[in-house]
Amino acid sequence: MRVWHGESELPEVDLVGLPGGFAYGDYLRCGAIAARAPVMAAVVRFAAAGGRVLGICNGFQVLCETGLLPGALLANEGGRFVSRWLDVEVVGPPTDFTGGLPHGASLHLPVAHHDGNYVADDETLDRLEAEGRIVFRYRRNPNGSARDIAGIINDQGNVLGLMPHPERAVGMELGSADGAQVFRSLMEALG
Amino acid sequence: MSEVDASVAAEHGLAVDEYEEILRILGRTPNLIELGIFSVMWSEHCSYKSSKAHLQRLPTRAPWVVCGPGENAGVVDIGDDLVAVFKMESHNHPSFIEPYQGAATGVGGILRDVFTMGARPVALLNALRFGEPQHPKTRHLITGVVAGIGGYGNCIGVPTVGGEVDFHRSFNGNILVNAMCVGTAKRDAIFYAAAAGIGNPVVYVGAKTGRDGIHGATMASAEFSEDAEAKRPTVQVGDPFKEKLLLEACLELMAEDAIVAIQDMGAAGLTSSSFEMASRGGTGVELDLDRVPRRERGMTPYEIMLSESQERMLLVLRKGAEDEAARVFQRWDLDVAVIGEVTDTGRMVVCADGAVVADVPIAPVAGASPVYERPVAESPPPVPVTSDLIRAPIGHGAALEKLIACPDLASRRWIFEQYDSTVMGDTLATSGADAALVRVHGTNRVLALTTDCTPRYVQADARAGTALVVAEAWRNLSATGARPLAITDCLNFGNPERPQIMGQIAASIDGMAEACTVLEFPVVSGNVSLYNETDGRAIQPTPAVGGLGVIDDASQCTTLAFDRAGLDLILVGECFGWLGASLYLREVCGSEDGPPPPLDLGQERRNGDFVRAQIGRGRVRACHDLSDGGLLVAATEMALASGLGMQLRAPRGAVAEPGWWFGEEPSRYLLAVAPEEKPALLASARRAGVVARRVGSTGGEAMVIAGADEVGLGRLRDLYEGWLPSYMDG
């Protein structure tokens, strides 16, 4: 089910997904315009009520710009777009998004972004680590992201953002089926 | 308005006899707007006046061709009532002047050509030619062109899945940026660009019109000089997000019964789109420029008619569908305006401020533009090279190291990692493979896509070289298991007014026609880019080909990566050790002499049909075609893709080295085959009249050349991956 950006209410759903892309062209800071779209106010209310939200790539940027997740995503170290397959480690305690995956599991996923360099102040980074809210880490950092962060979750455990694309790794013919495990975990969590 | 005379016409790039023809057609002196219209419509870029007489020799039909050249893009049947819509187009001159925007708008333009026809774009490719690496502009041009291609394709969300990059000093002052787009659609949902229905509204949609790109088509039809910088204002600026809106809005409206005809505004903007739609439909059109959405104040009718602002479309709607169209386009935040209507006058009548500012007949402007049979001169034959007299100046291992790190062969990772290749979630194989593989969404079918050209072959012998280009595209598709269907072409040459260049063009088209005919690989779309010269020095002739094939079952395709040690390596095809015009000769021996390798199109077809059938039967674990650098380079590319080495041995009776290892004769493939499959495969080859023999096996961590050298895979990988990033950092 797709919801138009100009809507101010969400339909009855179990999960809101903010997909990758270039929302409004991202001619300003990535995700900054999208964060101010009418529909995002509804997403914020949905998350506050405990609804699960998954932001992938541009969706992660939008979640940070909205304030649903801490920190920001800056231009990649090196200043170039990075599109490649890489390995991401699942870390921290189980979440609704990774429940079916053991700690330390490795996922082979593609990244494709120009602004995936996660930054936050040390205090925030320390808190994320201490609270087990770093969910995915790059095994080889492609963009300069602080502490190799590829994905984080909010303190309530219902909003997750990550730069890699699990939805593009859902079959061996595509290069990997590892991404499907994220969605299987979610299906289970949602009953 | 200033007076028009022959000298004003000359400033518009119109020849004296062309201006006289305009006077004859109108029966009066044109005003400046009318002159501007004639000048862009009769520019080489829009009218194909130098190439048209020759292009007619190209084969364009096959049972699976739904629509050949003449529309916005070619259309071929790929089964299950689906079609692939594709085209390749040049954006050379703008990309040299302003590499980021030139390349970006090249991508934007070719995307529009495809979705104009009702297809959703699913893949982008690009064929790039830069000057020699040590030229001071090359690094800057690569940076800008690659960022521009990525910037547009990544943002609009269509994967860039393949292409090619070459370097040669002949491109120092005139790079080539050829962009290809492929889309898919239901067979019965294709849209065409022929205006129809007297009284139907002509509708403008998309970005507002600005002063950018005025006379871009004329610029693309003239030679460059060192003052190219002064032409920067004629380069357009792209807005990929606007194009995304336009794409979605057009596809949405196409699902309704509202659109009669649709044409994108590309080169020569509103002028060419309106003339082409009217010309195809045999109608007239009346336009009211006051209703055209504008970005800037005070634009003259001349500027509005000639602007090449991007992300704009012109539609003819069914009368009464205006409100529905407006609702769809406004929902997508696009400007939309009824700016005219279809008439039965056969004339283009343009109004502004309530007065007629241009009134010209359509047929003579669009359909009956001048056609030149320009004088043709043959190029001198290439200096012969006798391959068995070539002594290897260095060992084979050292030559391999040199070749794998040379600009034309080194890894393009630095480039393709800047392109989102996995967006849309159907990409099965990308850059590095013989052909990119993209699954048709929601089906088990796979499109195989490639771009190919070897300009040094075409330079040496335009006819034979171009036949080799077509054969390589056909082979690249076959090597994945695909059934090659058709090509799009982008013919990049120098100044056609010089007989030797015109000779190259004519011979090249002959070679293309011959190869396309024998391989049943028709040309369904394309473009011609002439005047690729700077200060009188022409580029190497570059008839780039974009090939499309289909695999009916995704489980029956293969790539160049094998999965284990102990596989037999089978070489398919005959070896003569041909080193003329080869990369070995150029990079290792320092000579660009010699004719390109001979091509037997019948054998090409037998070999390709054989390989495809073997892949279809599941006998092939990996396959790679042999091209630049010959057997040893192809083998190394397979090994690097697999992370496993090879042991290679020249069979008894093989041709003299180094021709065996580095010769570039066509029609050859290297297959990795499980030992238990080998006897059946070799028996099938004998029955098919195909030469196939074992030349080695997979395994280990080095390329081991029996009786010669051994080079570690790690060292080869460092050389292969190292050149481009270290060059770009330099």
Side-chain angles (χ1 to χ4, degrees), chain B residues 562 564-572 631-632 635 638 645-652 660-661 669-675 678 682 692-699 702-706:
Chain B
F562 50 87
R564 64 179 171 92
L567 299 174
D568 284 316
L569 292 165
I570 307 290
L571 178 63
V572 171
L631 172 60
L632 199 49
M638 290 178 81
M646 291 180 178
Q647 295 78 46
L648 295 164
R649 175 182 299 279
R652 248 180 304 186
W660 167 260
W661 297 112
Y669 303 78
L670 187 60
L671 277 48
V673 174
K678 186 181 63 171
L682 293 179
R693 52 189 156 176
R694 184 176 181 279
V695 295
S697 59
T698 66
M703 297 301 290
V704 181
I705 309 162

Side-chain angles (χ1 to χ4, degrees), chain B residues 484-508:
Chain B
L485 294 179
I487 64 169
T488 178
D489 63 10
C490 211
L491 306 177
N492 308 274
F493 289 86
N495 181 348
E497 294 160 41
R498 294 205 284 136
Q500 193 175 332
I501 300 291
M502 202 57 231
Q504 283 178 341
I505 297 167
S508 175

Side-chain angles (χ1 to χ4, degrees), chain B residues 237-500:
Chain B
V237 177
D239 178 349
F241 183 66
K242 182 79 80 182
E243 179 123 319
K244 172 70 173 168
L245 300 177
L246 195 57
L247 159 66
E248 298 301 335
C250 285
L251 292 182
E252 187 175 316
L253 189 62
M254 283 165 171
E256 310 298 327
D257 177 30
I259 299 176
V260 174
I262 176 166
Q263 164 81 44
D264 84 298
M265 291 192 230
L270 185 54
T271 296
S272 104
S273 56
S274 56
F275 271 89
E276 282 175 22
M277 284 219 285
S279 162
R280 289 194 188 107
T283 67
V285 164
E286 210 171 293
L287 293 179
D288 180 357
L289 298 188
D290 294 343
R291 297 198 237 163
V292 171
R294 270 157 288 177
R295 203 169 61 214
E296 300 171 52
R297 279 168 201 256
M299 287 185 70
T300 64
Y302 179 92
E303 289 170 327
I304 296 168
M305 285 303 285
L306 298 186
S307 163
E308 292 192 3
S309 288
Q310 298 289 290
E311 293 91 23
R312 302 180 301 161
M313 289 278 191
L314 198 65
L315 285 68
V316 174
L317 292 183
R318 180 175 52 75
K319 199 166 179 55
E322 296 93 327
D323 290 349
E324 188 180 2
R327 200 173 59 246
V328 169
F329 290 128
Q330 281 162 4
R331 195 168 89 97
W332 290 97
D333 291 328
L334 294 165
D335 276 292
V336 52
V338 175
I339 62 165
E341 66 174 46
V342 178
T343 67
D344 61 358
T345 61
R347 299 185 75 83
M348 176 70 60
V349 179
V350 182
C351 302
D353 282 333
V356 172
V357 295
D359 182 353
V360 291
I362 283 159
V365 178
S369 53
V371 173
Y372 292 130
E373 291 269 8
R374 296 193 188 279
V376 166
E378 273 187 43
S379 294
V383 179
V385 167
T386 312
S387 298
D388 49 358
L389 293 182
I390 293 169
R391 297 277 163 261
I394 52 177
H396 298 332
L400 173 61
E401 290 180 5
K402 192 161 189 171
L403 282 171
I404 208 75
C406 84
D408 276 2
L409 283 181
S411 167
R412 273 78 177 104
R413 182 179 305 278
W414 187 93
I415 293 172
F416 66 71
E417 284 199 342
Q418 296 186 55
Y419 303 149
D420 189 340
S421 55
T422 53
V423 65
M424 297 181 91
D426 281 306
T427 305
L428 309 189
T430 58
S431 313
D434 287 294
L437 300 177
V438 178
R439 188 172 51 194
V440 180
H441 193 73
T443 76
N444 205 26
R445 279 177 196 282
V446 178
L447 295 176
L449 311 167
T450 183
T451 69
D452 288 290
C453 190
T454 310
R456 64 176 189 278
Y457 289 173
V458 188
Q459 175 77 49
D461 182 333
R463 182 183 173 121
T466 305
L468 284 161
V469 168
V470 174
E472 185 177 349
W474 190 85
R475 195 180 320 129
N476 275 328
L477 299 176
S478 299
T480 67
R483 197 167 70 246
L485 294 179
I487 64 169
T488 178
D489 63 10
C490 211
L491 306 177
N492 308 274
F493 289 86
N495 181 348
E497 294 160 41
R498 294 205 284 136
Q500 193 175 332

Side-chain angles (χ1 to χ4, degrees), chain B residues 705-728:
Chain B
I705 309 162
D709 302 300
E710 169 174 341
V711 190
L713 214 50
R715 172 161 173 75
L716 286 166
R717 186 180 304 283
D718 289 347
L719 288 164
Y720 178 65
E721 296 290 352
W723 180 77
L724 189 53
S726 77
Y727 168 70
M728 293 308 298

Side-chain angles (χ1 to χ4, degrees), chain A residues 40-104:
Chain A
M40 283 310 295
V43 173
V44 170
R45 288 196 301 277
F46 176 80
R52 292 176 185 85
V53 180
L54 171 64
I56 297 171
C57 196
N58 192 222
F60 185 13
Q61 295 163 344
V62 174
L63 290 175
C64 289
E65 285 288 337
T66 314
L68 285 173
L69 289 173
L73 291 146
L74 304 187
N76 298 340
E77 206 172 72
R80 292 193 297 274
F81 193 93
V82 174
S83 166
R84 69 172 72 132
W85 285 85
L86 43 67
D87 292 322
V88 174
E89 186 183 1
V90 180
V91 294
T95 69
D96 286 353
F97 302 82
T98 54
L101 291 159
H103 179 86

